[in-house]
Amino acid sequence: MQEKGNLSIHSENILPIIKKWLYSDADIFVREMISNAADAITKLKKLVDLGEAPHVSKEERYAIYVSVDKDLKIIQFEDNGVGMTAEEIKEYITRIAFSGANDFLSKYQDKMDASSEIIGHFGLGFYSVFMVADKAQIDSLSYAEGAEAARWVCEGGVEYELSDSDRAERGTLITLYIGEDGKEFLDEYKLRSVLTKYCSFIPVDIFFKDTPKKEAPQKSEKDETDEKDGGIIDMDEKSEDEPKPINDTHPLWLKPAGDCTDEEYKKFYHKVFTDFNDPLFWIHLNMDYPFRLKGILFFPKLKHELEYIEGQVKLYNNQVFIADNIKEVIPEFLLLLKGVIDCPDLPLNVSRSFLQNDGAVNKMSGYISKKVADKLNSLSKKDRDNYNAYWDDISPFIKYGAIKERDFYDKVKESILYKTTAGDYVTLAEFTSRNAEKTDKTIFYVTNEQLQAQYIKMFKDQGMEAMILTTNLDNPFVSYVETYESGLTFNRIDSDISNSLKETTEEQKEAQEALEALFRKALDNEKLQVRTENLKSDSVSAIMLLSEQSRRMKEMSKMFGGGMDMPGMYEDEEILALNTANPLVKTLLALKDQEDRAADVELICWHLYDLAMLSHKPLGTDQMTRFIERSNKILERIAG
Ligand code: ADP
Ligand code: MG
């Protein structure tokens, strides 16, 4: 038999179009070849089950083989699946945009179940080989009784050659003659890593060989035993002389959650994400309606501050990897997690614009965030002690999610915790109710426990508490909560003095004016704002107050304005509050008019100012130098 023909396509330019539009990455040809091979095996298994392939043994061991020869510049894919007759090759391979999978599906639709899923969807997958190959050859022998082997050769144009083949085993051998564009894949290590990336969970065993074989290798062949395993998946303890498949055909996400042990989840996590730490907890997703979706989302233990969190959510289609972090399917804030999601209903060639406009895809994203919310709520209700212990690690995900999605915030707000200066973790409702008497609707918070230690002590002395909110996200987060929780205001602990800290709230006009004049003169700063307070705690001399709003704006502009800090813009917002109950402040008032003590008064003013500043932000270089000089001087005087 010898036949020449033309690919029946409408445009001569189909290949450049495939290259540019359909596939963004050249390495996808590996995924396409393997998924076709897996489909061919799935189809044959089905036919065997249905009794339509009586001469194929029920004990048949199905497998896919991949091999590469750098010198010959060929890569081969071989399977022992259904195979194709010459007619079928013509039909399925050459009639582009006519999917053999569709044909098979429509024939066996009602007999198919979800477990015998056909991966191919598009009918163009095969042509992805021309992104890397100058020439492709198919040698195939159909499972059908009496079928003759056929060979198809195509050099990437619109012409092909169909002839007899000497192939003796059922199944298909694809030989790719790799061209300039694909030569990186001739490297064994590279090819293995692509296989690992896309095919780690393909439902059929895949064996990698570094020399091409005409025949399928025997299971006991010696040369395969020395093979190093380059993938993340290594099959557990197989006997010594048996080759190891590079993939895991039964990924954990397919197993019912009730049958999975904690150890299995952890092991899966370690392997797939090459993270040696255990995840905190996980969510096993499983749904059938209105779309099918299975997967596992892991909450990782944080190692660093928020900026370094790098999640990874891998998207699969019937166990074939599609891509990482597709934000159209997975809510953006969950991309900070690690996980695997398998959606059989997505097309293999995921094009972003397709996904954006797809209603089902949007629903998937909503479903996933709802599941996450449910899990968090059940943990916080049923397992509060553990949940408290997780909180520091999971709070960035949840706060980020809350800011990103109002819906998510509404669902989880009862499970959002706030660490407090009393040393525990409470919900917003718990916090406000237990502090209602002292601070009413104002919530005080600490951003730096060291710097703000003095304020915290004042609070504690009066039996009051503040929240501890230390991450960068907390600034936008509290603004967010203020918008949705009416009447609540968040004030950093140094932004104002709570009435509960004051002995009286009466103005002390005289002292206030005198002290302001004194400090302005001593510090040579006419704009300095001074306020007096009669605090319950007399050990505090002075504190610096910084307006909440201007501080937040300043921080926001730093965070979002490219780090630019506009000098002079918010400078007047600092107020020096002096405690008239404090002995030193009292003395200062008494000394202020004594000419012979003018130098001491000036020194005390400067020092009080610096001390107040210290618990508010670190001193600048000059300021610090003067502060130390002055401290020494004071010590000398005491000693002398
Ligand atoms: P799709 O997989 O989306 O159908 P492809 O271009 O990848 O599109 O493949 C076209 C068709 O060619 C397949 O549907 C299948 O019928 C046939 N085919 C491809 N590879 C093989 C194979 N290894 N064994 C048997 N049939 C194959
Ligand atoms: Mg395909």
Side-chain angles (χ1 to χ4, degrees):
M1 182 186 81
Q2 174 86 31
E3 185 182 321
K4 284 196 178 216
N6 276 320
L7 300 173
S8 51
I9 48 175
H10 304 297
S11 160
E12 298 244 329
N13 299 321
I14 189 84
L15 292 174
I17 291 171
I18 291 173
K19 286 184 194 183
K20 283 214 171 60
W21 174 72
L22 208 48
Y23 302 105
S24 41
D25 304 309
D27 63 3
I28 274 170
F29 79 96
V30 173
R31 178 186 83 183
E32 296 300 323
M33 289 305 97
I34 298 283
S35 57
N36 281 351
D39 281 350
I41 287 169
T42 307
K43 288 176 192 169
L44 183 59
K45 277 186 189 165
K46 197 71 211 169
L47 293 169
V48 170
D49 283 353
L50 296 171
E52 299 201 15
H55 48 287
V56 178
S57 159
K58 287 221 188 309
E59 308 304 311
E60 180 74 42
R61 287 192 64 175
Y62 296 101
I64 299 167
Y65 299 89
V66 182
S67 61
V68 58
D69 188 313
K70 211 168 183 162
D71 299 328
L72 295 177
K73 296 192 178 140
I74 62 173
I75 298 176
Q76 289 186 319
F77 297 88
E78 183 169 29
D79 66 74
N80 53 3
V82 275
M84 288 176 280
T85 62
E87 274 311 303
E88 283 166 337
I89 296 179
K90 246 173 35 175
E91 180 88 352
Y92 299 149
I93 300 290
T94 62
R95 284 182 55 191
I96 296 185
F98 176 87
S99 174
N102 279 342
D103 195 37
F104 185 89
L105 272 180
S106 60
K107 231 169 161 173
Y108 292 100
Q109 189 94 62
D110 44 340
K111 294 171 191 158
M112 299 289 287
D113 52 29
S115 64
S116 59
E117 198 62 58
I118 302 296
I119 296 163
H121 277 279
F122 225 80
L124 282 171
F126 184 82
Y127 283 87
S128 64
V129 299
F130 293 112
M131 290 192 293
V132 296
D134 290 339
K135 182 170 124 181
Q137 176 174 313
I138 301 175
D139 287 281
S140 194
L141 178 61
S142 163
Y143 78 100
E145 216 154 5
E148 280 172 26
R151 168 172 295 175
W152 177 93
V153 180
C154 178
E155 298 196 353
V158 291
E159 286 171 357
Y160 67 86
E161 232 176 81
L162 199 55
S163 60
D164 294 332
S165 164
D166 54 3
R167 182 169 176 85
E169 310 85 19
R170 181 202 68 243
T172 304
L173 173 68
I174 311 260
T175 307
L176 304 180
Y177 297 86
I178 302 299
E180 208 37 42
D181 288 350
K183 62 173 196 262
E184 58 173 316
F185 301 104
L186 290 170
D187 178 49
E188 182 192 328
Y189 181 80
K190 173 72 185 176
L191 188 57
R192 266 179 184 280
S193 74
V194 178
L195 277 166
T196 303
K197 173 176 166 191
Y198 289 107
C199 305
S200 281
F201 301 108
I202 292 270
V204 180
D205 282 347
I206 303 169
F207 297 94
F208 186 86
K209 297 201 37 64
D210 53 5
T211 39
K213 289 226 91 202
K214 271 297 209 165
E215 292 156 23
Q218 295 306 300
K219 305 288 178 253
S220 60
E221 255 186 32
K222 194 78 195 101
D223 59 340
E224 283 205 32
T225 58
D226 313 326
E227 237 178 69
K228 277 185 217 78
D229 185 71
I232 49 168
I233 303 303
D234 61 349
M235 297 303 287
D236 312 291
E237 295 88 42
K238 288 239 167 165
S239 78
E240 269 280 315
D241 54 343
E242 236 180 278
K244 284 181 182 173
I246 60 150
N247 55 329
D248 170 3
T249 55
H250 293 98
L252 194 63
W253 71 75
L254 295 179
K255 211 167 155 179
D259 298 349
C260 302
T261 64
D262 286 3
E263 281 319 306
E264 283 177 311
Y265 283 117
K266 287 178 189 169
K267 200 170 165 208
F268 181 84
Y269 175 84
H270 295 156
K271 270 184 187 171
V272 176
F273 302 103
T274 45
D275 182 349
F276 300 111
N277 295 301
D278 283 343
L280 294 174
F281 57 91
W282 45 85
I283 303 173
H284 201 135
L285 305 164
N286 184 358
M287 91 177 295
D288 281 320
Y289 184 81
F291 44 80
R292 289 171 298 161
L293 182 149
K294 283 190 167 74
I296 308 171
L297 289 175
F298 293 93
F299 281 74
K301 183 145 180 53
L302 292 192
K303 277 162 265 164
H304 316 280
E305 260 279 313
L306 182 75
E307 291 107 289
Y308 301 100
I309 299 177
E310 215 183 307
Q312 189 184 25
V313 179
K314 294 170 167 292
L315 185 64
Y316 293 82
N317 173 290
N318 281 314
Q319 300 171 237
V320 183
F321 174 73
I322 297 182
D324 278 326
N325 304 342
I326 301 274
K327 68 175 191 313
E328 285 76 9
V329 179
I330 300 136
E332 202 181 333
F333 69 96
L334 292 178
L335 296 180
L336 297 174
L337 302 179
K338 292 190 171 160
V340 290
I341 294 207
D342 194 340
C343 306
D345 301 327
L346 289 179
L348 256 189
N349 342 70
V350 174
S351 117
R352 287 276 157 93
S353 58
F354 166 82
L355 287 174
Q356 269 155 14
N357 299 320
D358 193 273
V361 169
N362 294 333
K363 280 202 203 96
M364 258 178 226
S365 166
Y367 162 78
I368 296 171
S369 58
K370 183 176 177 308
K371 276 290 175 193
V372 171
D374 290 349
K375 174 77 182 187
L376 294 170
N377 289 334
S378 97
L379 266 178
S380 78
K381 281 197 186 72
K382 294 190 198 127
D383 197 7
R384 180 69 180 262
D385 285 348
N386 269 325
Y387 188 74
N388 287 354
Y390 297 151
W391 182 253
D392 287 344
D393 284 298
I394 65 174
S395 81
F397 302 116
I398 298 171
K399 287 175 180 169
Y400 183 58
I403 295 171
K404 281 273 169 190
E405 279 183 28
R406 174 74 202 276
D407 244 21
F408 183 72
Y409 173 70
D410 287 339
K411 285 197 186 92
V412 296
K413 70 180 179 190
E414 245 115 84
S415 300
I416 294 180
L417 298 184
Y418 300 82
K419 195 175 171 178
T420 77
T421 50
D424 58 356
Y425 292 86
V426 296
T427 64
L428 188 62
E430 286 163 351
F431 187 90
T432 47
S433 86
R434 81 184 187 193
N435 288 289
E437 207 184 301
K438 292 223 155 91
T439 49
D440 194 26
K441 293 245 167 195
T442 305
I443 293 166
F444 288 91
Y445 65 98
V446 174
T447 55
N448 184 321
E449 287 178 87
Q450 279 79 45
L451 275 182
Q452 292 149 15
Q454 184 183 207
Y455 303 87
I456 298 173
K457 184 176 177 299
M458 275 177 11
F459 260 57
K460 285 189 174 167
D461 285 349
Q462 301 309 322
M464 292 162 61
E465 67 174 334
M467 289 179 174
I468 300 177
L469 300 172
T470 55
T471 68
N472 283 346
L473 250 189
D474 285 313
N475 185 336
F477 181 69
V478 298
S479 300
Y480 184 86
V481 174
E482 280 172 343
T483 331
Y484 293 115
E485 304 299 335
S486 66
L488 283 186
T489 339
F490 283 78
N491 276 343
R492 198 165 87 173
I493 200 162
D494 59 354
S495 64
D496 200 0
I497 301 172
S498 161
N499 283 342
S500 313
L501 294 172
K502 299 174 189 171
E503 197 61 65
T504 56
T505 50
E506 275 164 39
E507 265 190 77
Q508 305 158 286
K509 210 159 179 261
E510 221 171 289
Q512 146 109 32
E513 278 169 8
L515 284 168
E516 184 166 83
L518 184 66
F519 271 82
R520 284 184 171 180
K521 185 163 159 261
L523 272 54
D524 193 20
N525 178 355
E526 272 312 303
K527 289 197 183 116
L528 182 75
Q529 294 191 58
V530 174
R531 193 166 109 189
T532 50
E533 298 286 359
N534 189 1
L535 299 182
K536 285 178 182 161
S537 160
D538 61 10
S539 63
V540 176
S541 54
I543 54 180
M544 194 64 75
L545 301 176
L546 176 64
S547 139
E548 176 76 12
Q549 289 318 318
S550 74
R551 198 201 73 250
R552 266 197 228 177
M553 297 224 327
K554 205 167 167 174
E555 282 170 9
M556 289 274 208
S557 81
K558 251 194 200 152
M559 218 164 144
F560 303 110
M564 230 175 37
D565 189 7
M566 284 155 283
M569 209 166 153
Y570 314 101
E571 302 239 306
D572 301 332
E573 306 285 345
E574 289 163 356
I575 300 171
L576 178 68
L578 297 166
N579 181 10
T580 49
N582 175 261
L584 185 60
V585 175
K586 283 182 181 158
T587 313
L588 197 58
L589 270 170
L591 289 180
K592 71 178 169 50
D593 296 323
Q594 298 184 21
E595 285 291 325
D596 55 331
R597 303 296 301 275
D600 289 343
V601 167
E602 191 183 316
L603 183 137
I604 295 170
C605 287
W606 269 114
H607 221 60
L608 275 181
Y609 179 84
D610 281 357
L611 285 170
M613 207 54 161
L614 260 179
S615 48
H616 164 71
K617 65 182 181 202
L619 296 183
T621 322
D622 289 349
Q623 226 177 341
M624 188 51 123
T625 312
R626 278 185 312 223
F627 179 75
I628 292 171
E629 279 171 8
R630 209 182 306 121
S631 302
N632 278 321
K633 211 187 267 177
I634 295 168
L635 291 176
E636 277 163 24
R637 213 171 285 180
I638 297 170

